[in-house]
Amino acid sequence: MTAKTDLTAARVSRRTFLKTSAGAALVAGTAGSLALPQRAKAATGLVALVHTQAAGDNGPIDSMIAALKKLSDEQGFPIRTIYAQDSATFPTIFETLADAGAEVIVGTFNEVAEPIKELAPKFPDTKFIQIFGDAFEPVMPNVVTVSYDYYLGCYLSGLFAAKVSKTGKIGYIGGVSLPPLNADLNAMKAAAASVGADKSVTGAFAGSFQDPAKGHEIANQMYQDGIDYIQTDAAATDTGIIQAANEVDGRMVSAGSTAQFKLGAKSVIAVVSLDFGQSLYNEVSKAIGPDFKAGHLSTGIGTGVIDFVLSPDFETAGPADLVARAKEVWPEIEKARAGIIDGTLEVPFNTEL
């Protein structure tokens, strides 16, 4: 199930909060934004990824870079990955790539929306893909925007947490209080309430998607207050949350990427996975092939991009009683998942705290 169209505009990307002042830098062997035009002009079928958050996050950016490299190896087209830190450089980077003849330009998160809206009509032969963005009105013939119904995975996490938690106290830590993250927290609360009135969900926001120290501080306090299961929703801040969980046996955390399994074999029990890499792979594949279709794609459970999955590492290394409990209740989670997909279980998209 996806949220209704009239709610789409409320889904401001969690990444819009990230504001930095440094200039753009290039990744994958290039150095300096001025080096790109000469190299791009020599390439045919160039596909570029302009990411507005740093690599090395064990999450969305690393996943997208790896997926683009994989597709490039399979299809044989040249790629560039560019870390654009300063929003003032976005128009120049996008225009330089398009002017150089890039076939596809992928930009990340809602902060790239305006440069794409401005440049797409000027470069009709270049296809633009905005990963994690709101729909454009009207639709532009060479632009695809992609959003994600992450709150559906958070509902499953809340349901699972309410059934495996020993204390009945559940935590949620987001990066910043933005509409989609508020919806994630509210979905967890709705799920826990469906299990019993004695289950509670406490939410907090770190104020940043790149502050592991703050994540650790908040998580540690939650655990000390009796919460034994925390859902992360904070990108690079997640690392600190997982570190706090690792410090005491029996603390559980559901993270945001399967790459985070390895960060806490005894504590990361599951993830609400948003596979940005798979999403990018899917959309670029369509853009370079015959299946490109302009417009907006809302991606939910059952698409191969968003899911709630148990950690195989936790099944091996986690506390035996929690592993047994997780396996015991998992058929109920699968039933709820199927209900979301077939529409018999409707999860509210509530952005109000």
Side-chain angles (χ1 to χ4, degrees):
M1 186 205 77
T2 58
K4 298 198 175 13
T5 303
D6 60 354
L7 293 172
T8 301
R11 299 184 182 190
V12 180
S13 163
R14 64 193 69 191
R15 304 303 193 266
T16 55
F17 180 83
L18 302 178
K19 296 182 183 297
T20 55
S21 59
L26 300 189
V27 182
T30 59
S33 58
L34 294 179
L36 180 65
Q38 290 74 23
R39 301 187 183 201
K41 285 178 180 177
T44 57
L46 175 70
V47 178
L49 168 62
V50 182
H51 54 95
T52 56
Q53 184 176 324
D57 60 355
N58 285 306
I61 304 305
D62 287 354
S63 176
M64 284 187 275
I65 292 172
L68 185 58
K69 289 180 178 177
K70 178 176 183 288
L71 187 57
S72 171
D73 289 342
E74 293 171 354
Q75 300 286 340
F77 57 79
I79 63 172
R80 290 289 182 270
T81 57
I82 305 166
Y83 177 26
Q85 292 178 279
D86 184 357
S87 60
T89 68
F90 295 170
T92 299
I93 291 172
F94 280 103
E95 186 166 13
T96 298
L97 287 164
D99 190 54
E103 181 177 353
V104 180
I105 301 174
V106 183
T108 64
F109 315 128
N110 229 39
E111 52 264 40
V112 302
E114 292 309 313
I116 291 177
K117 287 179 181 178
E118 179 182 348
L119 291 170
K122 301 177 183 178
F123 295 94
D125 294 331
T126 297
K127 295 167 184 173
F128 294 83
I129 301 170
Q130 184 186 359
I131 297 291
F132 210 148
D134 301 326
F136 285 9
E137 297 293 344
V139 171
M140 293 183 171
N142 57 333
V143 177
V144 168
T145 55
V146 188
S147 66
Y148 305 96
D149 293 332
Y150 194 75
Y151 72 103
L152 299 175
C154 288
Y155 180 91
L156 295 177
S157 177
L159 190 65
F160 178 70
K163 293 177 180 293
V164 300
S165 169
K166 293 181 179 181
T167 65
K169 296 180 179 181
I170 301 158
Y172 165 93
I173 302 175
V176 178
S177 178
L178 298 171
L181 275 75
N182 296 347
D184 296 343
L185 172 55
N186 286 330
M188 290 194 69
K189 289 181 176 180
S194 74
V195 176
D198 60 329
K199 312 299 180 183
S200 64
V201 178
T202 299
F205 294 91
S208 172
F209 292 98
Q210 301 187 91
D211 191 347
K214 188 65 174 180
H216 181 278
E217 176 188 342
I218 297 172
N220 196 48
Q221 185 61 58
M222 282 187 172
Y223 287 127
Q224 290 178 7
D225 290 342
I227 287 170
D228 62 354
Y229 181 110
I230 295 175
Q231 174 62 52
T232 70
D233 200 1
T237 299
D238 289 358
T239 302
I241 301 168
I242 295 170
Q243 288 171 346
N246 290 341
E247 291 168 4
V248 178
D249 289 346
R251 291 178 173 181
M252 294 175 282
V253 59
S254 171
S257 168
T258 56
Q260 294 170 317
F261 287 153
K262 64 178 184 257
L263 301 182
K266 295 182 179 181
S267 63
V268 179
I269 190 170
V271 299
V272 179
S273 174
L274 200 176
D275 194 338
F276 283 96
Q278 186 61 53
S279 180
L280 179 145
Y281 185 99
N282 294 347
E283 298 314 311
V284 172
S285 295
K286 288 185 280 188
I288 63 176
D291 299 324
F292 179 80
K293 183 179 179 181
H296 185 73
L297 177 66
S298 184
T299 310
I301 295 286
T303 62
V305 175
I306 295 176
D307 210 344
F308 180 63
V309 296
L310 285 175
S311 166
D313 295 349
F314 188 88
E315 289 187 55
T316 300
D321 59 336
L322 292 177
V323 171
R325 181 59 178 159
K327 291 180 177 179
E328 179 184 353
V329 306
W330 195 250
E332 299 176 60
I333 307 306
E334 291 283 11
K335 181 179 179 181
R337 180 182 183 276
I340 290 173
I341 293 172
D342 67 23
T344 57
L345 174 57
E346 185 170 354
V347 180
F349 182 73
N350 177 12
T351 64
E352 299 296 325
L353 293 182

